[in-house]
Amino acid sequence: MAGPRVEVDGSIMEGGGQILRVSTALSCLLGLPLRVQKIRAGRSTPGLRPQHLSGLEMIRDLCDGQLEGAEIGSTEITFTPEKIKGGIHTADTKTAGSVCLLMQVSMPCVLFAASSSELHLKGGTNAEMAPQIDYTVMVFKPIAEKFGFKFNCDIKTRGYYPKGGGEVIVRVSPVKQLNPINLTDRGYVTKIYGRAFVAGVLPFKVAKDMAAAAVRCIRKEIRDLYVNIQSVQEPKDQAFGNGNGIIIIAETSTGCLFAGSSLGKRGVNADKVGIEAAEMLLANLRHGGTVDEYLQDQLIVFMALANGVSRIKTGPVTLHAQTAIHFAEQIAKYFT
């Protein structure tokens, strides 16, 4: 499908991997050749990192496209997509690069593949600077499926910073079209639940301390609801490396979902990790929107692809969401 080539400046707005994810997914879906320049130009290590590279290679493989300039550290790529096919595809960051970000770039594409897809995504399942896999399964999945598709996410192995080594298998059947969503009625909070985990050599007490600190923090603001945070020791055969973290979810009467999460780091005590997640959740509940700060940008691509007008009510619009909107608008212009 030869047509105009979309030119994207990778250094503006969020200026990072998100521009690549949104642009290449839409380029693939719309059959538009793409050039991205100045990739991550302002970052401390500019250019493509392993997780960006594996995401790009997966999109190329999904559609038998052509990809030039794709190597670690490269600041310019060109991508020429072909028809999206289904089947089994593997992407491996070989680092703790986030499997959730690999899913973000590939999910919109496989929804419109010629047949069902099975994606084997390898890297970090609970990584910094990205949604945790628990967020993807517990918050993103139920809300995204309101657009009228279903996917299955099987967590084979969890992997943590700095080693990675996690793997999830995502199965998706294609759809003819996406339906618009209307998420404007927030309702009231009906339940709060979560998961505090330790993996590897970390003692179980760390999970219990994170959970207890989070519950105490939430109690100060929300007194009338039972907060059910499970403490979990990840089974040895299902986790690679050492890690700890927590995710807390609030569900509302209209089916809205909000989350707060945090990952442990060396030298940071467990209480602090729990409190950080609780405070993030409470901040997301205070703003009165129907989606939390991490979901708003992830829904933009699906809103752009849906057959009609979607509405979501947000709190403050994040830079990631503004970036997703900007590039969705810019690329859709070529497709009129």
Side-chain angles (χ1 to χ4, degrees):
M1 282 193 245
R5 185 164 71 183
V6 182
E7 298 282 348
V8 164
D9 179 343
S11 67
I12 63 172
M13 300 182 78
E14 181 266 343
Q18 195 208 10
I19 295 174
L20 270 176
R21 287 190 291 279
V22 172
S23 307
T24 45
L26 288 171
S27 150
C28 180
L29 280 158
L30 302 176
L32 291 166
L34 170 77
R35 177 164 65 182
V36 187
Q37 294 170 293
K38 300 184 197 161
I39 294 167
R40 301 181 70 256
R43 299 293 157 102
S44 55
T45 47
L48 296 175
R49 305 303 305 142
Q51 71 263 33
H52 307 122
L53 185 57
S54 44
L56 286 172
E57 289 170 343
M58 180 154 78
I59 292 291
R60 175 198 64 198
D61 296 346
L62 283 174
C63 70
D64 274 339
Q66 288 170 314
L67 183 60
E68 287 153 51
E71 53 203 54
I72 305 288
S74 167
T75 56
E76 183 178 325
I77 59 116
T78 56
F79 172 55
T80 312
E82 297 292 335
K83 194 168 163 35
I84 306 169
K85 57 189 190 354
I88 299 175
H89 298 276
T90 299
D92 186 354
T93 66
K94 300 188 174 60
T95 64
S98 168
V99 296
C100 301
L101 297 181
L102 292 174
M103 200 187 303
Q104 264 182 38
V105 67
S106 53
M107 180 68 75
C109 301
V110 293
L111 284 177
F112 295 96
S115 61
S116 295
S117 304
E118 188 176 294
L119 308 175
H120 294 241
L121 310 176
K122 300 177 182 184
T125 56
N126 300 74
E128 284 292 337
M129 309 296 290
Q132 295 191 44
I133 191 65
D134 308 272
Y135 182 92
T136 299
V137 172
M138 295 161 85
V139 177
F140 170 79
K141 182 181 190 295
I143 303 296
E145 287 181 342
K146 291 178 189 289
F147 286 100
F149 67 89
K150 288 261 186 284
F151 72 94
N152 178 279
C153 184
D154 181 10
I155 305 168
K156 287 284 179 212
T157 316
R158 288 171 178 268
Y160 312 98
Y161 183 81
K163 289 180 176 169
E167 179 180 11
V168 303
I169 297 177
V170 181
R171 295 180 183 89
V172 189
S173 294
V175 292
K176 288 277 178 282
Q177 63 170 45
L178 294 180
N179 309 321
I181 63 167
N182 189 346
L183 272 188
T184 48
D185 178 9
R186 150 83 171 257
Y188 53 91
V189 178
T190 53
K191 47 177 144 164
I192 298 176
Y193 50 91
R195 181 179 198 277
F197 71 86
V198 291
V201 299
L202 295 165
F204 186 55
K205 180 181 185 307
V206 169
K208 290 169 108 157
D209 289 351
M210 287 188 295
V215 170
R216 283 195 302 274
C217 183
I218 292 167
R219 279 265 181 277
K220 288 180 192 154
E221 210 156 310
I222 301 174
R223 291 186 187 85
D224 53 346
L225 279 178
Y226 174 62
V227 182
N228 180 18
I229 302 177
Q230 288 181 309
S231 301
V232 183
Q233 170 84 55
E234 301 290 10
K236 287 273 186 280
D237 59 343
Q238 288 164 32
F240 183 80
N242 307 313
N244 68 295
I246 181 170
I247 179 165
I248 317 161
I249 310 237
E251 198 173 305
T252 76
S253 53
T254 55
C256 297
L257 296 164
F258 300 83
S261 65
S262 182
L263 286 169
K265 293 185 198 62
R266 207 166 259 168
V268 177
N269 82 18
D271 286 24
K272 199 169 169 202
V273 181
I275 289 165
E276 184 177 73
E279 286 180 341
M280 186 192 289
L281 175 67
L282 293 168
N284 273 310
L285 290 173
R286 282 183 210 115
H287 64 51
T290 58
V291 294
D292 67 30
E293 60 183 316
Y294 297 105
L295 194 59
Q296 46 173 275
D297 66 282
Q298 294 187 60
L299 296 181
I300 301 297
V301 169
F302 300 100
M303 292 169 76
L305 295 168
N307 208 349
V309 178
S310 291
R311 290 186 175 82
I312 58 174
K313 186 178 175 189
T314 70
V317 180
T318 63
L319 181 56
H320 270 93
Q322 289 167 11
T323 303
I325 291 166
H326 173 85
F327 286 99
E329 285 176 344
Q330 193 192 342
I331 292 167
K333 275 204 305 250
Y334 288 83
F335 196 72
T336 44

